[in-house]
Amino acid sequence: CKILRCNSEYVAATLHLRGPERGVAFCTALRSYSLCTRRTARTCRGDLAFHSAVHGIEDLMIQNNCSKEGPTAPPRARPPAPDARGFEVLDVCDYERSFLYKHGRRPAFRHCAAFGDPHIRTFHDDFHTCRVEGSWPLLDNEYLFVQATSSPVAKGSNATVTSKLTIIFKNMKECIDQKVYQAELDNVPAAFQDGSVDGGARPGGSSLEIRELIPGRRVEIRAAYIGTTIAVRQAGRQLSFSIRAAEEVAGAFTEEQDLQLCVGGCPRSQRMSRSPRGRGRVAAETARALCREMLPVEDVYFQSCVFDVVTSGDANFTMAARGALEDARLFLPDAEKLHIFQ
């Protein structure tokens, strides 16, 4: 099956298209791409990449009003690879580039966050407030394991906050050694547990890197080899976690790995209402005024902020909700899904 050759020829033909003539050239490239897939149909019948390409071409032709009849372009010559090992080995640790090469399109992404009480925004844009004291997995898949440990926000309270985060980047041949990152309250390090700041000595070690954005308070971990970026913050007396993960990576788990808060949200028995009830440490109207200064849109981030300030009495929790919203603005592929209203 030579579908990868068809994909790479299409990418080479469209990579530099700009300006008013783009539409005509793009349709020509799509017809050429379609012709190439038809020539490989017999040998690629059972190949998922082939079927993905065929459906992708149909969608793109409809979106760009391209006619199936018309001129096709001869394959554009690919520049020689800078290394005898070729593209697939050299770029296997650049997920986005490799995905574009294989599928002829850019990957889709998902966003998940855990902050405050904790409140969980799942990869499917569900939003839960959880009563999850102890350690719970946010993610558990082929590439990543992320565990959050929660403690009561205040003595005698049912509400909990994340006090510890453990993130394991699993060993990946050619790219990285296994790396473990751990953050606790008042200890948000700018390095992995072994003291390193990248993926190690393997050829693609630089495809995993950690950067400190605010000393002791905010770090960002970029894992280019799996198209994933993670943000860890401390605001007040709690930690928060945000991730932008390639859709393929977010879904790379088995039936046994069924408990992941980023995938399924809180178990039903652990879900709480965000409506403050009973005697809080701060009056609800006071909390609303504090949260409105940071979060003018009264969405679930705002509701979560009010809940946390009422429950904890700590005005710093307004920063936790604001930070989660900032991460969502950076990480969400669809800006229209930024705010959730419930």
Side-chain angles (χ1 to χ4, degrees), residues 187-215:
N187 182 20
V188 181
F192 297 107
Q193 273 199 321
D194 61 5
S196 65
V197 294
D198 60 24
R202 299 192 184 188
S206 62
S207 65
L208 175 64
E209 59 176 352
I210 184 168
R211 296 190 305 156
E212 187 173 56
L213 302 183
I214 300 175

Tab-separated table of all heavy atoms in Angstrom, residues 187-215:
chain	number	residue	atom	x	y	z
A	187	ASN	N	5.520	23.654	46.012
A	187	ASN	CA	6.665	23.026	45.357
A	187	ASN	C	6.260	22.647	43.936
A	187	ASN	O	5.876	21.514	43.666
A	187	ASN	CB	7.128	21.797	46.140
A	187	ASN	CG	8.356	21.148	45.507
A	187	ASN	OD1	9.070	21.777	44.727
A	187	ASN	ND2	8.592	19.893	45.834
A	188	VAL	N	6.333	23.637	43.039
A	188	VAL	CA	6.024	23.432	41.619
A	188	VAL	C	7.349	23.552	40.866
A	188	VAL	O	7.732	24.634	40.419
A	188	VAL	CB	4.996	24.474	41.111
A	188	VAL	CG1	4.657	24.233	39.643
A	188	VAL	CG2	3.720	24.417	41.956
A	189	PRO	N	8.092	22.451	40.752
A	189	PRO	CA	9.448	22.514	40.210
A	189	PRO	C	9.493	22.751	38.706
A	189	PRO	O	8.517	22.467	37.996
A	189	PRO	CB	10.035	21.149	40.562
A	189	PRO	CG	8.853	20.246	40.649
A	189	PRO	CD	7.726	21.083	41.167
A	190	ALA	N	10.622	23.243	38.251
A	190	ALA	CA	10.827	23.497	36.819
A	190	ALA	C	11.677	22.392	36.208
A	190	ALA	O	12.445	22.624	35.270
A	190	ALA	CB	11.489	24.850	36.620
A	191	ALA	N	11.560	21.169	36.726
A	191	ALA	CA	12.331	20.033	36.224
A	191	ALA	C	11.599	18.749	36.546
A	191	ALA	O	10.719	18.712	37.419
A	191	ALA	CB	13.721	20.012	36.860
A	192	PHE	N	11.949	17.692	35.833
A	192	PHE	CA	11.417	16.380	36.136
A	192	PHE	C	12.087	15.852	37.402
A	192	PHE	O	13.048	16.441	37.907
A	192	PHE	CB	11.640	15.435	34.954
A	192	PHE	CG	10.916	15.867	33.709
A	192	PHE	CD1	11.609	16.400	32.624
A	192	PHE	CD2	9.538	15.758	33.624
A	192	PHE	CE1	10.949	16.816	31.486
A	192	PHE	CE2	8.848	16.176	32.480
A	192	PHE	CZ	9.561	16.706	31.418
A	193	GLN	N	11.606	14.717	37.895
A	193	GLN	CA	12.115	14.202	39.159
A	193	GLN	C	13.602	13.884	39.118
A	193	GLN	O	14.288	13.964	40.137
A	193	GLN	CB	11.326	12.949	39.579
A	193	GLN	CG	10.073	13.259	40.379
A	193	GLN	CD	9.579	12.064	41.154
A	193	GLN	OE1	9.619	10.941	40.664
A	193	GLN	NE2	9.105	12.290	42.367
A	194	ASP	N	14.104	13.533	37.938
A	194	ASP	CA	15.531	13.212	37.837
A	194	ASP	C	16.402	14.449	37.636
A	194	ASP	O	17.608	14.350	37.418
A	194	ASP	CB	15.787	12.206	36.710
A	194	ASP	CG	15.374	12.745	35.332
A	194	ASP	OD1	14.975	13.930	35.241
A	194	ASP	OD2	15.445	11.978	34.348
A	195	GLY	N	15.792	15.628	37.704
A	195	GLY	CA	16.545	16.878	37.571
A	195	GLY	C	16.669	17.387	36.147
A	195	GLY	O	17.153	18.501	35.920
A	196	SER	N	16.225	16.606	35.157
A	196	SER	CA	16.345	17.014	33.750
A	196	SER	C	15.205	17.950	33.358
A	196	SER	O	14.186	18.044	34.044
A	196	SER	CB	16.335	15.786	32.837
A	196	SER	OG	15.077	15.133	32.920
A	197	VAL	N	15.382	18.631	32.234
A	197	VAL	CA	14.338	19.533	31.724
A	197	VAL	C	13.887	19.135	30.319
A	197	VAL	O	13.166	19.867	29.659
A	197	VAL	CB	14.821	21.003	31.723
A	197	VAL	CG1	15.039	21.498	33.140
A	197	VAL	CG2	16.092	21.163	30.885
A	198	ASP	N	14.335	17.947	29.845
A	198	ASP	CA	13.908	17.469	28.531
A	198	ASP	C	13.743	15.957	28.564
A	198	ASP	O	13.804	15.334	29.626
A	198	ASP	CB	14.879	17.908	27.423
A	198	ASP	CG	16.300	17.381	27.638
A	198	ASP	OD1	16.469	16.353	28.331
A	198	ASP	OD2	17.245	17.987	27.111
A	199	GLY	N	13.571	15.359	27.373
A	199	GLY	CA	13.262	13.941	27.290
A	199	GLY	C	14.435	13.003	27.350
A	199	GLY	O	14.267	11.790	27.170
A	200	GLY	N	15.631	13.527	27.551
A	200	GLY	CA	16.781	12.645	27.700
A	200	GLY	C	17.659	12.575	26.476
A	200	GLY	O	17.574	13.411	25.566
A	201	ALA	N	18.510	11.543	26.416
A	201	ALA	CA	19.583	11.466	25.417
A	201	ALA	C	19.172	10.827	24.103
A	201	ALA	O	19.983	10.734	23.186
A	201	ALA	CB	20.761	10.685	26.017
A	202	ARG	N	17.946	10.391	23.971
A	202	ARG	CA	17.525	9.755	22.718
A	202	ARG	C	17.474	10.788	21.592
A	202	ARG	O	17.428	11.996	21.852
A	202	ARG	CB	16.163	9.084	22.907
A	202	ARG	CG	16.223	7.996	23.978
A	202	ARG	CD	15.001	7.132	24.000
A	202	ARG	NE	15.078	6.184	25.103
A	202	ARG	CZ	14.230	5.189	25.308
A	202	ARG	NH1	13.219	5.022	24.480
A	202	ARG	NH2	14.366	4.373	26.331
A	203	PRO	N	17.455	10.334	20.324
A	203	PRO	CA	17.478	11.291	19.203
A	203	PRO	C	16.394	12.362	19.285
A	203	PRO	O	16.607	13.506	18.895
A	203	PRO	CB	17.277	10.386	17.971
A	203	PRO	CG	17.829	9.069	18.388
A	203	PRO	CD	17.527	8.934	19.850
A	204	GLY	N	15.221	12.000	19.803
A	204	GLY	CA	14.131	12.974	19.882
A	204	GLY	C	13.945	13.557	21.264
A	204	GLY	O	12.854	14.053	21.588
A	205	GLY	N	14.986	13.535	22.096
A	205	GLY	CA	14.870	14.005	23.480
A	205	GLY	C	14.363	15.422	23.620
A	205	GLY	O	13.662	15.751	24.582
A	206	SER	N	14.680	16.267	22.642
A	206	SER	CA	14.243	17.669	22.722
A	206	SER	C	12.754	17.831	22.445
A	206	SER	O	12.202	18.924	22.599
A	206	SER	CB	15.049	18.528	21.733
A	206	SER	OG	14.812	18.087	20.403
A	207	SER	N	12.082	16.742	22.040
A	207	SER	CA	10.643	16.831	21.761
A	207	SER	C	9.812	16.838	23.037
A	207	SER	O	8.591	16.954	22.979
A	207	SER	CB	10.199	15.672	20.855
A	207	SER	OG	10.351	14.430	21.520
A	208	LEU	N	10.463	16.703	24.197
A	208	LEU	CA	9.803	16.877	25.490
A	208	LEU	C	10.597	17.908	26.269
A	208	LEU	O	11.804	17.737	26.484
A	208	LEU	CB	9.757	15.554	26.268
A	208	LEU	CG	9.184	15.629	27.692
A	208	LEU	CD1	7.715	16.029	27.674
A	208	LEU	CD2	9.368	14.294	28.418
A	209	GLU	N	9.951	18.992	26.676
A	209	GLU	CA	10.667	20.033	27.403
A	209	GLU	C	9.751	20.683	28.432
A	209	GLU	O	8.539	20.731	28.262
A	209	GLU	CB	11.217	21.107	26.447
A	209	GLU	CG	10.146	21.811	25.625
A	209	GLU	CD	10.700	22.931	24.768
A	209	GLU	OE1	11.882	23.262	24.914
A	209	GLU	OE2	9.930	23.490	23.965
A	210	ILE	N	10.374	21.162	29.497
A	210	ILE	CA	9.625	21.820	30.568
A	210	ILE	C	10.142	23.245	30.719
A	210	ILE	O	11.352	23.487	30.664
A	210	ILE	CB	9.756	21.025	31.887
A	210	ILE	CG1	8.907	21.646	32.992
A	210	ILE	CG2	11.188	20.876	32.330
A	210	ILE	CD1	8.774	20.735	34.212
A	211	ARG	N	9.198	24.191	30.860
A	211	ARG	CA	9.573	25.597	30.999
A	211	ARG	C	8.864	26.199	32.202
A	211	ARG	O	7.686	25.930	32.432
A	211	ARG	CB	9.183	26.392	29.748
A	211	ARG	CG	9.893	25.969	28.478
A	211	ARG	CD	9.625	26.953	27.367
A	211	ARG	NE	8.196	27.147	27.145
A	211	ARG	CZ	7.658	28.237	26.579
A	211	ARG	NH1	8.431	29.235	26.219
A	211	ARG	NH2	6.363	28.329	26.384
A	212	GLU	N	9.568	27.027	32.944
A	212	GLU	CA	8.979	27.729	34.081
A	212	GLU	C	8.493	29.092	33.605
A	212	GLU	O	9.278	29.906	33.132
A	212	GLU	CB	10.028	27.887	35.185
A	212	GLU	CG	9.461	28.448	36.476
A	212	GLU	CD	10.488	28.435	37.596
A	212	GLU	OE1	11.579	29.017	37.401
A	212	GLU	OE2	10.214	27.835	38.645
A	213	LEU	N	7.210	29.344	33.726
A	213	LEU	CA	6.636	30.618	33.289
A	213	LEU	C	6.532	31.615	34.432
A	213	LEU	O	6.731	32.808	34.238
A	213	LEU	CB	5.269	30.381	32.650
A	213	LEU	CG	5.260	29.428	31.439
A	213	LEU	CD1	3.859	29.332	30.848
A	213	LEU	CD2	6.249	29.877	30.370
A	214	ILE	N	6.177	31.134	35.635
A	214	ILE	CA	6.179	31.964	36.841
A	214	ILE	C	6.888	31.148	37.916
A	214	ILE	O	6.412	30.069	38.282
A	214	ILE	CB	4.752	32.319	37.308
A	214	ILE	CG1	4.006	33.087	36.219
A	214	ILE	CG2	4.801	33.143	38.601
A	214	ILE	CD1	2.548	33.373	36.561
A	215	PRO	N	8.048	31.610	38.396
A	215	PRO	CA	8.839	30.811	39.340
A	215	PRO	C	8.008	30.290	40.510
A	215	PRO	O	7.349	31.043	41.224
A	215	PRO	CB	9.924	31.787	39.806
A	215	PRO	CG	10.090	32.729	38.654
A	215	PRO	CD	8.709	32.889	38.083
